[in-house]
Amino acid sequence: MNKKGKTVVFMILATVFNLFLLLIFFLLLFLLLFALLPSLVPQVMEMPSMSFILPLLWFAGSIFLSFFTYSKIIKWASAKFNLEDKLDPIFTPKKYRRTKGE
């Protein structure tokens, strides 16, 4: 398999992994914000603004945490397994692109 094929497979697997992380953080934040927080601080659920703020924190927090974790893991894996040499660059400036013969 050439570099382009490896890159496509890597990107598909990385996307699936990112979606898995999103699901994990989505469930964890749901448990934290809607199960633990009301039991620890009962006044929170009585505030009228919390019906807007908690779901916003839930969605935005899970997306932020999944992308943050994903980027850290990809950077670590790239350095550990030397992926720059094994994968074709996806976004490179035009002046640094290889010619088709290489």
Side-chain angles (χ1 to χ4, degrees):
M1 186 181 291
N2 61 6
K3 280 187 174 185
K4 287 189 189 270
K6 289 178 186 176
T7 303
V8 169
V9 170
F10 176 77
M11 289 305 296
I12 291 171
L13 291 175
T15 302
V16 170
F17 177 68
N18 193 12
L19 290 173
F20 176 73
L21 282 175
L22 181 64
L23 179 67
I24 295 297
F25 285 119
F26 195 74
L27 293 173
L28 286 175
L29 282 179
F30 177 79
L31 289 174
L32 180 71
L33 292 175
F34 293 103
L36 288 176
L37 187 64
S39 65
L40 294 174
V41 186
Q43 304 90 325
V44 168
M45 296 312 279
E46 295 173 6
M47 297 173 164
S49 62
M50 283 300 146
S51 64
F52 174 73
I53 292 174
L54 285 180
L56 184 65
L57 284 174
W58 178 32
F59 284 107
S62 61
I63 291 170
F64 173 76
L65 286 172
S66 70
F67 282 128
F68 180 75
T69 307
Y70 169 79
S71 68
K72 292 293 182 184
I73 290 172
I74 293 298
K75 285 179 186 175
W76 171 81
S78 180
K80 174 135 176 91
F81 300 112
N82 200 15
L83 294 179
E84 286 95 17
D85 294 339
K86 297 177 177 103
L87 299 176
D88 201 29
I90 297 171
F91 303 108
T92 56
K94 198 169 194 171
K95 64 180 179 178
Y96 295 120
R97 289 185 188 163
R98 290 182 288 150
T99 60
K100 298 236 183 210
E102 291 182 21

